[in-house]
């Protein structure tokens, strides 16, 4: 369309598709203006690499399907369209005969097919003056100019754009430190293999021989994917006996797995879902206004200013659940007194719970103990640790089975998920003091992820069955992954577990790589940084400054800041490239019902993308600073 407003969205995972859905919804109600949208993805347009629709069905989401939607509004009786469409659960039930129900965990490939359906619905709903182009290619460079942007694609195509939305998703950063040394050690020894962290669907797990012993770094969500791929993915099966216990029947093609992490505990299970799809939690004590009122002006210290209010909210949820069972008539008086005390500072929720009849307040959640359950404990042998581990996993499953409303512990840990937005509002864009920001990411954020992002209960039961079958051993807390040059082997061990050391042939990093633009060697990121279109967000100045590794952006709609600190209002950057500038940008979808941050962010970016490009001094400077031709880059 000659003379049209041209928008390019780079990356079509959930963030990119969410922006497209809001652009289409706005186009349906706005003034007629010729608009062309180019949705560009290197792997699969509509769902991207992580959610690609051809991955094996055993890779699951970790959110129940009823809580997932890529439509920014509920169905309204009319046709599905941008702003009104089915959740993943509704679409699954309507299109797949094997849908187990709204509380099921969908395969990631199925979510990819749902995203493709959303894309097709968006395309069919566009008004006559708008067009969508699907482009399968990698964007290798983006060159700003006085009249917009030139995007250079891997297939030689050059796209011109008035606005560009960068939702590039998961990076594959260069290895550094100990893991670079581990990879180099394996590269020099053909009998060893090091597999770097990535989406499990993109790991070469099929190349691991059945005779291998595999060390797995990390026991989080990706661990469960790898565990399943190396067992059921190789022909084995889990069978439930008459008593409800699971056992594993091997195919003979499984390698032996030795897994370890700081905690020495596989990620605890999500509580059985007892909440409606449109459930929206509120916060009683832990709000941005409350924290700022009591903390005063200036950057916050997480441990001093924020954590006490978060713990008070967690304890309030915990003891509310306890009282619902022990003394239902005391719930409202207890909560009212806690709220009244909070006007003067952080209330002692445990003491108030005891005053209102809770028999045992010593069981209040301790996030430090829960996230490192074996810390400070010494074991006499591998069998001693194995017994403690299995017992801890079984106790966790009992809590999870009771549900995320009825079980006090799982109810209180859901507060961590429900209050992420509060921490983001307080922390993002240098809300924390630089050292507090650094400490939060190094210590509390991993603990938060451990307790707030669990797998389905069945996956933990599978892990127990594999431990019983002798195919999986968790090494112990503070697992060490080392090399021995003399024997040309990798070794795994835990100092807390005598006899735990063992040689492994293959080392698999089961952790999702930490985004860092300084380590992202993709051509687009390298060129954006080289040209100064992107810069790294640095919290603070001088020796105390914290270099975050995230892209520096404005507040909504997230325009990148150039090397002179000026925003480029024709570009927006959303999601993982800005991680650490903003916290927890790893979001796989929106939710049905009231908008969460996913849809609010998507709508703000959509509004910016649809706006007429403003005349700015920065645009004029580009004309003189950037000399390009169709094949070249700025010189």
């Amino acid at each position: 369309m000659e003379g049209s407003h041209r928008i390019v969205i780079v990356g079509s995972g959930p963030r990119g598709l969410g922006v497209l859905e809001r652009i289409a919804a706005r186009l349906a109600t706005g003034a007629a203006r010729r608009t062309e949208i180019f949705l560009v993805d290197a792997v699969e347009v509509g769902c991207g690499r992580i959610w690609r629709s051809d991955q094996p069905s055993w890779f699951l989401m970790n959110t129940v399907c009823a809580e997932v939607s890529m439509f920014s509004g509920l169905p309204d009786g009319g046709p599905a369209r941008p702003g009104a469409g089915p959740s993943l659960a509704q679409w699954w039930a309507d299109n797949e005969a094997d849908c187990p129900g709204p509380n099921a965990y969908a395969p990631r490939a199925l979510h990819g097919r749902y995203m493709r359906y959303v894309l097709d619905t968006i395309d069919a709903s566009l008004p006559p003056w708008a067009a969508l182009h699907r482009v399968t290619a990698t964007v290798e460079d983006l060159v700003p100019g006085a009249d917009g942007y030139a995007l250079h694609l891997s297939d030689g195509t050059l796209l011109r754009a008035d606005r560009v939305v960068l939702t590039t998703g998961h990076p594959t950063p260069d290895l550094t430190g100990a893991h670079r040394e581990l990879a180099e050690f394996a590269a020099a020894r053909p009998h060893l293999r090091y597999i770097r962290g990535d989406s499990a669907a993109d790991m070469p797990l099929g190349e691991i021989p059945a005779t291998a012993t595999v060390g797995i770094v990390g026991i989080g969500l990706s661990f469960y994917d790898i565990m399943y791929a190396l067992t059921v993915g190789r022909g084995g099966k889990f069978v439930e006996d008459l008593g409800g216990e699971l056992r594993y029947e091997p195919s003979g093609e499984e390698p032996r797995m030795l897994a370890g992490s700081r905690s020495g505990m596989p990620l605890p299970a999500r509580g059985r879902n007892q909440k409606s799809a449109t459930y929206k939690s509120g916060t009683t004590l832990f709000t941005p206004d409350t924290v700022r009122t009591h903390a005063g002006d200036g950057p916050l210290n997480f441990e001093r200013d924020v954590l006490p209010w978060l713990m008070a909210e967690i304890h309030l949820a915990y003891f509310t659940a306890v009282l619902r069972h022990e003394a239902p008539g005391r719930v409202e008086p207890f909560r009212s007194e806690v709220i009244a005390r909070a006007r003067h500072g952080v209330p002692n929720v445990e003491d108030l719970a005891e005053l209102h009849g809770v028999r045992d307040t010593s069981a209040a959640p301790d996030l430090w103990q829960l996230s490192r359950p074996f810390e400070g404990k010494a074991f006499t042998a591998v069998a001693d640790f194995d017994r403690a581990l299995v017992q801890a996993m079984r106790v966790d499953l009992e809590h999870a089975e009771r549900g995320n409303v009825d079980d006090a512990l799982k109810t209180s840990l859901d507060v961590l998920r429900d209050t992420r937005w509060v921490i983001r509002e307080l922390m993002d864009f240098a809300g924390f003091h630089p050292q507090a920001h650094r400490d939060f990411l190094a210590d509390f954020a991993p603990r938060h992820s451990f307790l707030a992002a669990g797998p389905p209960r069945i996956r933990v039961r599978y892990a127990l069955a594999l431990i019983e079958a002798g195919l999986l051993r968790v090494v112990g807390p503070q697992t060490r992954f080392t090399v021995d040059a003399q024997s040309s082997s990798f070794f795994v061990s835990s100092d807390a577990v005598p006899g735990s050391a063992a040689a492994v042939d293959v080392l698999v990093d089961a952790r999702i790589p930490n985004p860092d633009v300084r380590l992202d060697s993709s051509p687009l990121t390298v060129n954006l940084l080289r040209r100064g279109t992107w810069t790294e967000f640095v919290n603070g100045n001088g020796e105390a400054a914290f270099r975050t590794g995230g892209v520096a952006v404005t507040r909504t709609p997230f325009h990148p800041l150039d090397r002179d600190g000026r925003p480029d209002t024709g570009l927006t950057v959303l999601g993982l490239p800005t991680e650490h500038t903003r916290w927890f940008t790893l979001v796989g979808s929106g939710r049905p019902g009231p908008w969460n941050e996913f849809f609010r962010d998507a709508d703000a970016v959509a509004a910016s993308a649809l706006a007429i490009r403003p005349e700015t001094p920065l645009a004029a400077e580009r004309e003189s600073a950037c000399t390009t031709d169709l094949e070249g880059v700025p010189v």
Side-chain angles (χ1 to χ4, degrees), residues 22-371:
R22 289 309 306 157
I23 288 174
R26 284 177 167 270
L27 284 171
T29 58
R33 180 178 60 155
R34 287 181 295 177
T35 303
E36 286 188 275
I37 309 162
F38 297 82
L39 186 62
V40 185
D41 198 283
V43 177
E44 185 174 355
V45 177
C47 54
R49 178 172 74 94
I50 301 301
W51 302 100
R52 59 185 173 83
S53 61
D54 64 347
Q55 61 188 292
S57 61
W58 51 73
F59 296 130
L60 300 183
M61 304 181 74
N62 69 307
T63 301
V64 296
C65 60
E67 295 178 359
V68 175
S69 182
M70 289 303 304
F71 287 101
S72 57
L74 298 171
D76 60 2
R81 63 195 184 281
S87 68
L88 173 60
Q90 292 165 328
W91 176 85
W92 191 1
D94 290 343
N95 290 274
E96 304 274 345
D98 63 347
C99 177
N103 289 322
Y105 293 85
R108 289 209 292 268
L110 184 133
H111 186 231
R113 295 198 295 275
Y114 168 69
M115 292 174 68
R116 292 285 297 266
Y117 158 76
V118 174
L119 177 61
D120 290 341
T121 302
I122 292 168
D123 201 352
S125 302
L126 288 173
W129 57 85
L132 174 65
H133 307 279
R134 310 180 192 201
V135 182
T136 303
T138 300
V139 176
E140 296 185 337
D141 200 4
L142 184 159
V143 183
D147 59 349
Y149 304 90
L151 290 89
H152 297 258
L153 276 54
S154 55
D155 61 3
T157 301
L158 184 116
L159 288 179
R160 297 289 186 185
D162 298 293
R163 296 280 173 146
V164 180
V165 178
L166 296 165
T167 54
T168 51
H170 287 269
T172 308
D174 295 339
L175 294 173
T176 61
H179 278 266
R180 179 176 178 175
E181 294 173 5
L182 291 168
E184 291 173 346
F185 186 81
R189 294 162 176 82
H191 64 286
L192 298 181
R193 183 75 182 269
Y194 174 87
I195 299 177
R196 61 167 301 148
D198 201 350
S199 168
D202 290 319
M203 290 179 170
L205 301 175
E207 298 175 10
I208 298 174
T211 55
T213 302
V214 180
I216 303 177
V217 184
I219 328 178
L221 290 173
S222 290
F223 157 75
Y224 288 101
D225 287 336
I226 292 165
M227 174 194 82
Y228 207 76
L230 294 177
T231 52
V232 173
R234 296 192 169 205
K237 59 182 179 180
F238 292 95
V239 179
E240 191 170 60
D241 64 24
L242 294 177
E245 288 294 315
L246 283 177
R247 59 182 175 84
Y248 181 72
E249 294 183 353
S251 68
E253 296 299 316
E254 303 90 345
R256 183 166 177 256
M257 294 171 281
L258 302 178
S261 67
R262 282 174 292 192
S263 70
M265 173 84 173
L267 207 64
R270 289 286 305 278
R272 178 173 57 85
N273 187 50
Q274 298 175 297
K275 299 173 182 176
S276 70
T278 56
Y279 166 82
K280 184 173 177 62
S281 69
T283 56
T284 303
L285 307 175
F286 184 44
T287 69
D289 286 346
T290 299
V291 171
R292 291 191 182 110
T293 296
H294 290 277
D297 297 332
L300 299 169
N301 179 297
F302 174 74
E303 290 194 5
R304 180 193 66 211
D305 302 323
V306 180
L307 182 60
W309 288 102
L310 171 59
M311 292 308 303
E313 187 78 48
I314 289 170
H315 287 167
L316 178 62
Y318 180 84
F319 288 119
T320 296
V322 170
L323 283 171
R324 275 202 306 266
H325 292 281
E326 294 184 358
R330 300 302 304 162
V331 169
E332 288 309 315
F334 162 67
R335 292 180 63 85
S336 295
E337 187 166 358
V338 169
I339 293 168
R341 297 285 185 94
R343 298 190 185 102
H344 309 289
V346 181
N348 189 321
V349 181
E350 291 181 59
D351 286 354
L352 293 173
E354 187 173 11
L355 287 174
H356 284 269
V358 173
R359 292 191 291 269
D360 179 15
T361 60
S362 65
D366 178 342
L367 301 189
W368 269 252
Q369 189 278 326
L370 289 168
S371 59

Side-chain angles (χ1 to χ4, degrees), residues 144-146 562 564 566 615-627:
D562 72 5
D564 295 318
R566 297 170 301 184
E615 290 297 328
T616 65
L618 183 57
E621 289 175 19
R622 289 196 191 108
E623 189 167 17
S624 60
C626 298
T627 303

Side-chain angles (χ1 to χ4, degrees), residues 408-621:
L409 178 61
K410 294 299 181 181
T411 298
S412 65
L413 293 181
D414 264 9
V415 170
L416 292 170
R417 294 168 57 88
D418 296 337
T419 59
R420 283 181 184 137
W421 71 271
V422 179
I423 296 177
R424 279 195 289 261
E425 189 164 326
L426 294 169
M427 172 184 170
D428 289 358
F429 305 103
F432 286 1
H433 184 278
Q435 187 59 48
H437 191 175
R438 183 184 288 110
D439 292 344
F440 173 88
L441 294 176
D443 183 55
F444 187 80
R447 295 177 188 273
H448 183 287
S449 295
F450 181 85
L451 296 171
R457 304 185 307 284
I458 190 64
R459 289 291 167 107
V460 179
R461 295 182 65 202
Y462 289 159
L464 281 168
L466 290 172
I467 291 171
E468 179 67 26
L471 287 170
L472 170 65
R473 176 163 72 86
V474 176
V475 178
Q478 298 296 329
T479 309
R480 299 171 63 226
F481 299 89
T482 57
V483 301
D484 181 71
Q486 186 172 358
S487 64
S488 286
S489 297
F490 291 127
F491 271 85
V492 299
S493 63
S494 168
D495 291 343
V497 183
S500 62
V504 298
D505 313 300
V506 180
L507 204 56
V508 180
D509 190 350
R511 303 166 303 167
I512 297 298
N514 193 34
D516 189 330
V517 291
R518 296 167 296 181
L519 301 176
D520 186 350
S521 58
S522 67
L524 178 60
T525 298
V526 170
N527 285 323
L528 289 169
L529 290 172
R530 174 178 59 82
R531 195 173 290 113
T533 306
W534 274 10
T535 56
E536 180 189 8
F537 176 65
V538 180
N539 183 356
N541 299 294
E543 293 184 0
F546 173 40
R547 296 186 61 185
T548 66
V551 175
V553 293
T554 65
R555 294 183 181 273
T556 182
F558 317 115
H559 300 307
L561 300 174
D562 72 5
R563 59 167 59 101
D564 295 318
R566 297 170 301 184
D568 188 328
T569 55
L571 298 179
T572 54
V573 187
L574 187 61
L576 280 165
T578 66
E579 183 69 23
H580 310 321
T581 306
R582 307 172 69 204
W583 179 59
F584 206 83
T585 59
L586 178 65
V587 178
S589 69
R591 288 183 63 133
W595 280 10
N596 58 8
E597 289 167 290
F598 179 87
F599 285 126
R600 287 195 294 270
D601 286 354
D603 188 61
V605 171
S608 176
L610 285 167
I612 296 292
R613 182 171 177 77
E615 290 297 328
T616 65
L618 183 57
E621 289 175 19

